[in-house]
Amino acid sequence: MSRNRIILVTAGIMLSLFLASMESTVVATAMPTIVGQLGGLEHYSWVFSAFMLASTTAVPLYGKLSDIYGRRKLYASAMALFLVGSVWCGAATSMTSLIFARALQGIGAGGIMPLAFILIGEMFTLEQRAKMQGLFSGVWGVSSIVGPLLGGFLVDQLSWHWIFYINILPGLLAAGLVVFAWRDHHAHGQDRPAIDYAGAALLTISVVMLLLGLMGSGTSSWILISGAVVLFIVLLWVERRAAGPVLPLPLFRGRLFSSATAHGILTGWALFGSVSFIPLFGQAVLGTTATQAGITLTPLLLGWVTASIIGTRLMLNIGYRRLGLIGTASFTIGAFLMSQAGMSTSQVSLMAFCTLMGIGMGLSVPSYLIAVQTSVNRRQLGTATSTLQFSRSIGGTLGVSVMGAALSTRLASNLAEASLDPELVQQLLNPLPGSEVVIAEGARAAMADGIHLVFVIAFAAAALAMVTVFFTPRKELTDRGAEPGPSAVSAD
C-alpha cells in the first residue's frame, strides 16, 4: 500500500484502540451506579462476562475469516455490530436488556481488536512494529486519562446511558478510514478452504456451559462443567480433522506460542477480574464518587502505556523473554499488594498497586504479541494473532465470572451472619440521604471482605502466569509475518 493509505489505516486503528481502552475504563467506572439504579448486584459480573464471552468466542472466527476473505470486510462488519450494540446498551432500561446488548457489542468487539493488530502485523516489519508501538500506546495513554474522567462526569452529571453513546462517532470515523484506505494484499481464488463452523459452535457452547457451571452451584453446576469438558474433548477431535481449524492446534506444538497463550489466559484472568471490581471497591468500600473510582484505574493504564513504549524499544536489545519475565514479576507484585487491600486502604495506595500491574502488562503483553507475530508465516498471522487475543479474552471472561460468583457467595454469607438486609448494599452504590452510619458501615465491611476474596483469586492467577514465563523458549526470532522482508531480534 502507499504511504498515504498506511497513514489513514493507522489513524483508523488508533481510533479503534481508543474505543477499546475507553470501553474498559468507562463501563467499569459506571457499573456501580448502573447496579444502584437498575438493581441486580448478583448479575454485576454478567455485564462484563456477556461482553467478554461474546468477544472471546468471536475472536478466533474473525481471525480465520480474515485470513480467507480479507481484513476490510470483516473489520467493517465487526465495527457495525459493535456500534449497534453500543446504541442498544445506551437504551437499556433493565439489567437483562443491558446484558443482552453487551453480548451483541462483544460480538463486534471480538473482531475489532484482533483485526487491528493483524493490520499492524501486515503493514510493518518487526523493527517498525516495535517503534510504532509507542504511537499506539500513546492512544491508550490519552484514553486512560479521558476515559475515567469522562465516564465519571457523564455518570455524576448526566446519565450512565451516555457512556455507550460516546462510541458512535469515533467508531464510524474509524470504520470509514479503514474501509476506504485498506487494500488486502492477496486475493483469494476459487480454492477457499472450508470454514470451521463446527469448531466455532463447539467452542462457543463449551465456553458458555463452563461459565454457567462456574457461576452456579449444586448438582446442575457440576453437570454443566462436565458437559463443557466433554464438548471440549469433542472440539479437539474435530479440530484435528478440520481443513481450516478455528483453533490452530499445530501452532500449540511450539513452546513460544503455547507459553504465550498460557500467559495470556492467566494475566487476562487477573487483569480483567481486577479492573472490573476495583471501581466497585472504591465506591462501595472507600466511599468515592464514580469519577474518583474511575481515576483509580488511570495509573494502571498509564503504567501500561509508558512501559509498553519503553519495553518495545528495550526488546530489540534484551529480548522478549527477559522483558516478559520482568513485566510479569511487576504484575504479580501489584496483584499481591491489591490482595491485601481493605477498608483502611487509601485510594492512593490502590493507585500505586494499579501502577505496578499496568507496568507489568505493558512490558509483557506487547513483547509476547510481537514475538508470536514474528515467528509465524503470513498465512498464519491472522489466526495466530487472534488466538493470542482469544487467550487473554477467555482468561478475562473466566476470571470475571469466577470472581463475580465468589463475591456474590461471600457477600451473601457475610450479610446473613451480620443479620443485615441485602438492600443495604444497593444503598452503598446509590446512597440515600439519612442512611444510618452504623448500618452502612456493616454493609461496607461485608462488601470489603467479599472483594478481598476477588483480589486474592486475581493474585493466584498472576502467580501462575509468572510460572509460565519460565517455560518460554530462548530463541532468535526471524521476521516472517511482514511483507517488506526479514529481520531478527535476540530472544535472550
Side-chain angles (χ1 to χ4, degrees):
M1 292 193 302
S2 67
R3 183 173 182 273
N4 288 338
R5 288 186 180 276
I6 290 177
I7 292 174
L8 290 177
V9 173
T10 301
I13 292 173
M14 290 171 66
L15 274 177
S16 299
L17 296 178
F18 182 85
L19 280 178
S21 179
M22 287 276 287
E23 186 67 21
S24 62
T25 56
V26 169
V27 175
T29 300
M31 269 309 298
T33 301
I34 293 174
V35 172
Q37 293 183 11
L38 299 183
L41 179 62
E42 65 276 12
H43 302 306
Y44 180 93
S45 62
W46 268 110
V47 176
F48 298 98
S49 296
F51 177 89
M52 297 177 70
L53 173 60
S55 62
T56 294
T57 53
V59 161
L61 189 57
Y62 273 112
K64 191 65 183 179
L65 288 173
S66 73
D67 282 341
I68 298 172
Y69 296 108
R71 321 299 188 193
R72 185 170 60 169
K73 292 180 181 179
L74 269 296
Y75 182 90
S77 300
M79 183 63 77
L81 289 173
F82 176 80
L83 294 179
V84 171
S86 296
V87 173
W88 186 5
C89 286
T93 56
S94 69
M95 187 64 77
T96 301
S97 176
L98 179 60
I99 290 172
F100 279 110
R102 286 282 287 170
L104 178 61
Q105 192 184 36
I107 294 174
I112 293 174
M113 287 299 292
L115 286 171
F117 286 114
I118 290 168
L119 297 182
I120 293 171
E122 285 204 351
M123 287 191 298
F124 304 112
T125 64
L126 171 63
E127 287 81 2
Q128 288 172 336
R129 288 198 296 270
K131 294 176 181 178
M132 290 296 293
Q133 185 65 41
L135 179 62
F136 296 120
S137 294
V139 176
W140 283 78
V142 173
S143 61
S144 67
I145 297 174
V146 174
L149 295 176
L150 180 60
F153 173 80
L154 292 175
V155 170
D156 289 336
Q157 304 300 325
L158 298 174
S159 168
W160 62 263
H161 302 275
W162 284 95
I163 68 170
F164 297 107
Y165 293 145
I166 61 173
N167 293 328
I168 297 174
L169 288 180
L172 290 174
L173 181 56
L177 289 172
V178 174
V179 170
F180 171 77
W182 179 260
R183 293 293 179 268
D184 289 311
H185 293 295
H186 50 284
H188 299 278
Q190 301 299 319
D191 298 328
R192 289 177 174 175
I195 300 173
D196 184 22
Y197 291 113
L202 285 169
L203 177 64
T204 302
I205 296 171
S206 61
V207 171
V208 170
M209 289 180 65
L210 178 61
L211 289 177
L212 291 174
L214 291 173
M215 297 184 71
S217 60
T219 304
S220 60
S221 176
W222 287 109
I223 292 175
L224 287 170
I225 293 174
S226 300
V229 172
V230 171
L231 286 181
F232 187 73
I233 294 173
V234 175
L235 171 65
L236 294 179
W237 183 84
V238 169
E239 295 302 89
R240 287 194 180 97
R241 290 157 179 78
V246 69
L247 284 180
L249 297 183
L251 287 178
F252 285 97
R253 296 179 188 139
R255 283 178 57 196
L256 171 57
F257 188 80
S258 58
S259 60
T261 301
H263 182 272
I265 291 173
L266 293 165
T267 54
W269 180 302
L271 176 73
F272 291 114
S274 299
V275 166
S276 299
F277 291 96
I278 287 173
L280 180 62
F281 184 86
Q283 288 186 247
V285 177
L286 302 185
T288 66
T289 64
T291 303
Q292 291 171 331
I295 291 174
T296 306
L297 293 176
T298 300
L300 188 152
L301 294 168
L302 287 179
W304 189 330
V305 169
T306 304
S308 179
I309 295 172
I310 297 173
T312 49
R313 300 299 181 101
L314 290 176
M315 190 189 75
L316 299 175
N317 297 318
I318 69 175
Y320 78 93
R321 186 179 187 274
R322 188 174 298 152
L323 198 62
L325 182 62
I326 297 171
T328 309
S330 173
F331 181 76
T332 304
I333 293 171
F336 169 75
L337 294 173
M338 189 69 71
S339 70
Q340 305 303 304
M343 293 181 65
S344 60
T345 303
S346 67
Q347 186 180 6
V348 174
S349 297
L350 283 183
M351 295 171 75
F353 306 157
C354 285
T355 301
L356 285 174
M357 295 178 71
I359 290 174
M361 293 299 287
L363 293 178
S364 61
V365 169
S367 62
Y368 274 118
L369 175 62
I370 292 173
V372 168
Q373 287 187 328
T374 303
S375 64
V376 300
N377 295 318
R378 171 181 287 279
R379 61 185 178 81
Q380 297 176 311
L381 181 63
T383 303
T385 302
S386 61
T387 302
L388 196 58
Q389 178 72 20
F390 170 80
S391 70
R392 288 195 294 273
S393 296
I394 190 64
T397 304
L398 292 172
V400 171
S401 301
V402 171
M403 292 175 184
L407 172 61
S408 297
T409 303
R410 177 66 69 88
L411 180 60
S413 174
N414 290 341
L415 292 174
E417 288 180 5
S419 300
L420 293 174
D421 187 346
E423 290 296 322
L424 292 174
V425 174
Q426 191 165 337
Q427 291 182 22
L428 289 176
L429 304 176
N430 192 26
L432 297 174
S435 298
E436 296 184 25
V437 177
V438 176
I439 296 179
E441 285 303 307
R444 201 181 302 277
M447 179 68 80
D449 182 66
I451 300 181
H452 172 261
L453 177 59
V454 166
F455 291 152
V456 169
I457 295 173
F459 166 64
L464 290 175
M466 187 70 191
V467 175
T468 67
V469 178
F470 293 100
F471 290 92
T472 304
R474 302 171 185 267
K475 61 181 291 187
E476 183 175 293
L477 300 176
T478 301
D479 194 355
R480 295 185 292 173
E483 205 171 56
S487 55
V489 59
S490 171
D492 195 354

